[in-house]
Amino acid sequence: MAAQKINEALEHIAKAEKYLKTGFLKWKPDYDSAATEYGKAAVAFKNAKQFDQAREACLREAEAHENNKAAYEQAGMMLKEMQRLPEAVQLIEKASMMYLENGTPDTAAIALERAGKLIENVSPEKAVQLYQQAASVFENEERLRQALEMLGKASRLLVRGRRLDEAALSLQKEKSIYKEIENYPTCYKKTIAQVLVHLHRNDYVAAERCVRESYSIPGFNGSEDCAALEQLLEGYDQQDQDQVSEVCNLPLFKYMDNDYAKLGLTLVVPGGGIKKKSPNATQDKARGPATVGSHAEEEEDEYSGGLC
């Protein structure tokens, strides 16, 4: 079966090359017919699992079609089958740029997302870049929900890679768009994620400011999200590890996206979690000895005149 498909592909290659030849009665190559034959050759090679030759046929098809965008993308997918992922992403990126130049930005963004998925496990840094590019294209086309999906993927990868400064900026971008489309409950969730990121950056001031600024979001003040964040910040500021852990184990935190839930479960207060004593406890302790002393004085007064 494979040999038959390979022979079939070679026949299409031969036909394509014949279409490209010129002669006394044929002054111009027939690029369209050649591209069609290269496309058929690519399919046959793919079916025979000859992915390198399939990729080459796709590239020839692209050239014959004067930089055919889809053919470049197909060539990238052949490289994916060969596990040559960085090269695959390069070709898909090239196709994406051509989609943009050709006035089909939606297709360009989808290609960028596809490339991001391909490279995510091999090079998360590159995947973040691709997702952010896709988000930018979608945002320019006012397809904000698709843009948010791409930004969300980028934010989670940044958190996973401990690139927390960039994650904080990415989350702020997400929250701004959710606010723009009036999806306020999701804004609350993004605020929780932001606060966790800032506290892992050891930036309590930024975390507190994030909550304070969120009071302007309709419904945030008085929500369970707001109450939980205020408790979290109080516990963190007082170095009360028990209180911080209790808040981070609430369903509100535990059932977030896994990357953010992990931030909550691994959050440690400064100073190794030494619990500060409350002012009331300190005052009570100070009062203790004085009370004992006063009782002693009363007893002394009672018996000061003797037993009689």
Side-chain angles (χ1 to χ4, degrees), residues 47-191:
N47 290 337
K49 301 196 181 300
Q50 301 298 307
F51 297 116
D52 196 23
Q53 289 168 289
R55 174 193 62 88
E56 186 64 32
C58 283
L59 290 176
R60 289 191 187 182
E61 180 191 1
E63 291 167 5
H65 262 321
E66 295 184 356
N67 294 329
N68 182 297
K69 312 164 279 300
Y72 275 114
E73 192 175 353
Q74 285 300 314
M77 297 311 289
M78 297 305 156
L79 284 166
K80 173 214 168 190
E81 297 292 343
M82 300 161 63
Q83 296 302 306
R84 290 162 60 180
L85 298 182
E87 294 172 74
V89 166
Q90 284 180 358
L91 284 177
I92 297 173
E93 275 190 285
K94 184 172 183 176
S96 173
M97 291 301 297
M98 291 163 64
Y99 285 129
L100 281 173
E101 291 168 3
N102 196 51
T104 52
D106 288 354
T107 311
I110 291 167
L112 288 168
E113 180 188 5
R114 188 176 293 125
K117 286 180 181 176
L118 282 183
I119 203 72
E120 191 172 300
N121 293 328
V122 176
S123 176
E125 298 84 2
K126 182 65 178 176
V128 166
Q129 179 192 332
L130 291 164
Y131 289 141
Q132 288 174 336
Q133 287 175 345
S136 180
V137 174
F138 278 131
E139 189 178 1
N140 288 339
E141 293 302 304
E142 297 185 352
R143 295 184 60 180
L144 298 184
R145 295 189 187 281
Q146 288 84 353
L148 284 166
E149 186 182 345
M150 296 299 100
L151 284 171
K153 289 184 177 186
S155 298
R156 289 190 292 274
L157 279 177
L158 288 167
V159 168
R160 205 174 304 163
R162 303 297 296 180
R163 294 163 62 184
L164 298 180
D165 290 353
E166 295 169 80
L169 294 173
S170 184
L171 282 163
Q172 181 60 43
K173 175 75 170 172
E174 282 188 73
K175 190 164 83 171
S176 297
I177 298 178
Y178 277 117
K179 189 176 180 181
E180 184 181 339
I181 64 175
E182 300 183 355
N183 186 339
Y184 300 130
T186 304
C187 289
Y188 311 161
K189 306 306 178 210
K190 295 302 171 184
T191 302

Side-chain angles (χ1 to χ4, degrees), residues 118-287:
L118 282 183
I119 203 72
E120 191 172 300
N121 293 328
V122 176
S123 176
E125 298 84 2
K126 182 65 178 176
V128 166
Q129 179 192 332
L130 291 164
Y131 289 141
Q132 288 174 336
Q133 287 175 345
S136 180
V137 174
F138 278 131
E139 189 178 1
N140 288 339
E141 293 302 304
E142 297 185 352
R143 295 184 60 180
L144 298 184
R145 295 189 187 281
Q146 288 84 353
L148 284 166
E149 186 182 345
M150 296 299 100
L151 284 171
K153 289 184 177 186
S155 298
R156 289 190 292 274
L157 279 177
L158 288 167
V159 168
R160 205 174 304 163
R162 303 297 296 180
R163 294 163 62 184
L164 298 180
D165 290 353
E166 295 169 80
L169 294 173
S170 184
L171 282 163
Q172 181 60 43
K173 175 75 170 172
E174 282 188 73
K175 190 164 83 171
S176 297
I177 298 178
Y178 277 117
K179 189 176 180 181
E180 184 181 339
I181 64 175
E182 300 183 355
N183 186 339
Y184 300 130
T186 304
C187 289
Y188 311 161
K189 306 306 178 210
K190 295 302 171 184
T191 302
I192 292 176
Q194 280 183 297
V195 168
L196 289 172
V197 166
H198 285 313
L199 293 181
H200 270 271
R201 293 173 60 240
N202 298 315
D203 193 342
Y204 175 83
V205 173
E208 187 181 38
R209 184 173 62 247
C210 180
V211 173
R212 192 168 61 248
E213 290 173 351
S214 295
Y215 289 139
S216 65
I217 300 171
F220 178 73
N221 193 11
S223 67
E224 63 171 339
D225 306 74
C226 178
L229 285 172
E230 287 172 347
Q231 280 187 312
L232 177 64
L233 289 175
E234 179 187 55
Y236 191 90
D237 187 41
Q238 294 183 358
Q239 298 182 2
D240 186 342
Q241 184 64 51
D242 290 341
Q243 181 169 328
V244 167
S245 297
E246 184 179 344
V247 173
C248 289
N249 273 286
L250 292 171
L252 196 63
F253 285 71
K254 287 177 72 175
Y255 298 127
M256 296 178 72
D257 284 323
N258 198 38
D259 294 296
Y260 303 125
K262 284 181 180 177
L263 288 182
L265 294 174
T266 57
L267 183 60
V268 178
V269 300
I274 299 170
K275 189 170 182 176
K276 284 188 175 179
K277 301 198 182 301
S278 66
N280 291 337
T282 306
Q283 289 172 9
D284 290 343
K285 187 174 181 181
R287 264 193 230 107

